[in-house]
Amino acid sequence: MQNCTIFFLLALTFYISYIILSYYYSDAHTDWLEAGQDDIDIQSVNIQGNKSEIFESWNSCFTVEMMGIEDPEIFWKTFVVSSKKCDYQAGVRQLGIVTLKHKNKTKRVLFPKVFNTGPHNLFTIGVGRDIRAEKQFRRKMHKLGNNVTFVGADPVPHNGDLYSQIGNYFPLAIGGKSGISNARVLENSGYIDTDKIHIDVVYFFKDLLNVTNIDNLWFDAEGEEFANDFFDIFYENGKFVQSGIDLCQVNIEIHITSDVAHRKEEFMKFLKRIIQEKRFGVFFGDAFGHIRMYMFNYSSQYCLDKF
Ligand SMILES: *[C@@H]1O[C@H](CO)[C@@H](O)[C@H](O)[C@H]1NC(C)=O
Ligand SMILES: *[C@@H]1O[C@H](CO)[C@@H](O)[C@H](O)[C@H]1NC(C)=O
Ligand SMILES: *[C@@H]1O[C@H](CO)[C@@H](O)[C@H](O)[C@H]1NC(C)=O
Ligand SMILES: *[C@@H]1O[C@H](CO)[C@@H](O)[C@H](O)[C@H]1NC(C)=O
Ligand SMILES: *[C@@H]1O[C@H](CO)[C@@H](O)[C@H](O)[C@H]1NC(C)=O
């Protein structure tokens, strides 16, 4: 009888510990922990600064700060400083951009300013075995009455199990051009170099997914993806414009790998053209070994009306 009681108590203890532990590691617990921040972030939809004024002011500031620099190395180093300065001068915080953060992953988003605006999509290119920021975004959007369709792509297949929790997953590397090349990917053991099949970014969105609007694009590529004129998709009369793809918000990380000088040159060319064409705002420039930034398409009425 006594043995029975002890056994019962032990079993009960294990059971309760199991319940507590599984709750501790569950999304429900994380959602509960982050609920306070949600309340703050959701208020951002009420921040309605004058978009064209802020964008104009940002663009003038960046023109003065960056267009005169000719050396790619200096350009790369100056970018973060100038970005912080111009964000401040132009009053970019009056746009209501929210920061989602988990570990090393930082993403900026604008929520739709209108309640229940209809379909909304987010594309994660380069999942990197972490979807916490995506889950934060999904939860906050739910609270605002919006459902988000998620699509993820990453050449490392074990991202699939993870990403399938929130959306559709493709085991692919996305780049400026289709082909086989060397990609640096994050495996369990750390970064490794391996041959990867790249799919042309336009083919991916237009032919494979038949997408015409991209609300959020989160692009975290490790290297080669930026070769082959990848940045063309952001340009006036570039491949996205020609394909009728309307891109609103972009979080992009630009890594430096072995081809360092080359990458910094490309970055300078890219950013100068973005400033000159005056269609995208580039905010929250940040360096974490690599450069990351947030971009918004100010030439799109769809994007301006929605966010
Ligand atoms: C924003 O600012 C511009 C230029 O100053 C002005 O023409 C426009 O009316 C303003 N828009 C709103 C919604 O206040
Ligand atoms: C994350 O950040 C830490 C420093 O805070 C760094 O040591 C680590 O390498 C980073 N990890 C990745 C995957 O970037
Ligand atoms: C979002 O999804 C829920 C449940 O799947 C559905 O009831 C609701 O109508 C959807 N809302 C919108 C705006 O599509
Ligand atoms: C692509 O989407 C459009 C609507 O956005 C639709 O009219 C067209 O039939 C779709 N094409 C394919 C091949 O699914
Ligand atoms: C920005 O918006 C314009 C206007 O809708 C659109 O034509 C263009 O394709 C968008 N830019 C990019 C790079 O998607």
Side-chain angles (χ1 to χ4, degrees):
M1 191 63 197
Q2 246 178 5
N3 274 348
C4 251
T5 315
I6 289 168
F7 178 76
F8 175 74
L9 281 176
L10 262 175
L12 190 68
T13 313
F14 273 119
Y15 181 66
I16 290 172
S17 315
Y18 171 76
I19 297 279
I20 291 173
L21 272 177
S22 45
Y23 176 70
Y24 184 77
Y25 287 108
S26 73
D27 280 351
H29 181 235
T30 317
D31 290 349
W32 179 76
L33 283 179
E34 292 173 350
Q37 189 59 43
D38 288 355
D39 293 342
I40 298 167
D41 290 346
I42 284 169
Q43 292 304 318
S44 70
V45 299
N46 299 321
I47 304 174
Q48 311 236 8
N50 186 324
K51 288 171 217 173
S52 59
E53 226 168 43
I54 294 168
F55 178 52
E56 278 292 328
S57 165
W58 172 84
N59 192 270
S60 319
C61 176
F62 235 68
T63 303
V64 173
E65 290 287 313
M66 302 301 285
M67 289 308 281
I69 302 173
E70 300 295 340
D71 179 46
E73 195 69 41
I74 295 171
F75 192 91
W76 179 273
K77 281 197 188 121
T78 311
F79 169 69
V80 175
V81 183
S82 300
S83 181
K84 287 193 164 56
K85 183 175 167 187
C86 294
D87 284 358
Y88 179 76
Q89 268 188 18
V92 163
R93 68 174 192 295
Q94 285 308 315
L95 295 171
I97 297 167
V98 160
T99 303
L100 309 171
K101 207 166 162 43
H102 181 244
K103 292 191 188 152
N104 291 1
K105 220 174 174 180
T106 301
K107 301 294 172 200
R108 321 274 177 177
V109 292
L110 271 174
F111 296 120
K113 300 282 193 213
V114 190
F115 185 79
N116 207 338
T117 47
H120 190 106
N121 59 27
L122 188 150
F123 298 87
T124 312
I125 309 299
V127 178
R129 291 192 288 124
D130 181 3
I131 56 164
R132 207 45 244 171
E134 280 86 347
K135 285 185 166 177
Q136 287 176 359
F137 183 64
R138 183 175 64 169
R139 191 187 56 239
K140 292 173 209 282
M141 284 291 276
H142 262 164
K143 291 184 178 179
L144 285 165
N146 300 301
N147 295 336
V148 185
T149 307
F150 288 92
V151 178
D154 193 300
V156 182
H158 59 226
N159 281 290
D161 291 341
L162 193 63
Y163 207 85
S164 302
Q165 295 173 25
I166 53 167
N168 272 336
Y169 166 79
F170 294 87
L172 296 171
I174 309 295
K177 188 172 154 234
S178 298
I180 298 174
S181 71
N182 193 260
R184 252 181 120 231
V185 296
L186 185 59
E187 280 282 4
N188 288 326
S189 51
Y191 283 100
I192 57 157
D193 284 321
T194 158
D195 280 343
K196 291 292 164 200
I197 297 173
H198 284 79
I199 300 295
D200 178 340
V201 60
V202 176
Y203 180 85
F204 180 70
F205 284 110
K206 190 181 166 206
D207 300 303
L208 215 53
L209 301 174
N210 192 23
V211 163
T212 51
N213 291 313
I214 301 175
D215 292 304
N216 294 83
L217 173 64
W218 293 3
F219 201 99
D220 283 346
E222 311 288 351
E224 278 301 312
E225 286 87 343
F226 291 119
N228 298 309
D229 230 1
F230 172 82
F231 291 120
D232 176 84
I233 61 169
F234 299 111
Y235 297 153
E236 189 167 16
N237 298 321
K239 286 187 280 188
F240 267 14
V241 177
Q242 283 165 27
S243 310
I245 298 172
D246 214 338
L247 175 61
C248 290
Q249 307 182 54
V250 188
N251 278 278
I252 192 164
E253 282 198 11
I254 299 168
H255 292 237
I256 302 192
T257 44
S258 37
D259 56 337
V260 174
H262 186 49
R263 180 61 33 78
K264 288 177 179 171
E265 244 165 65
E266 275 172 9
F267 177 70
M268 183 169 84
K269 222 174 83 194
F270 158 67
L271 208 62
K272 282 189 170 180
R273 185 149 169 193
I274 290 292
I275 297 166
Q276 267 166 346
E277 289 184 351
K278 218 173 162 185
R279 291 148 40 87
F280 275 95
V282 179
F283 310 129
F284 299 102
D286 191 357
F288 206 83
H290 39 261
I291 272 181
R292 59 188 174 200
M293 60 201 189
Y294 169 85
M295 298 167 62
F296 188 91
N297 186 353
Y298 281 94
S299 72
S300 163
Q301 203 54 46
Y302 166 82
C303 305
L304 287 169
D305 290 345
K306 185 166 179 180
F307 305 103

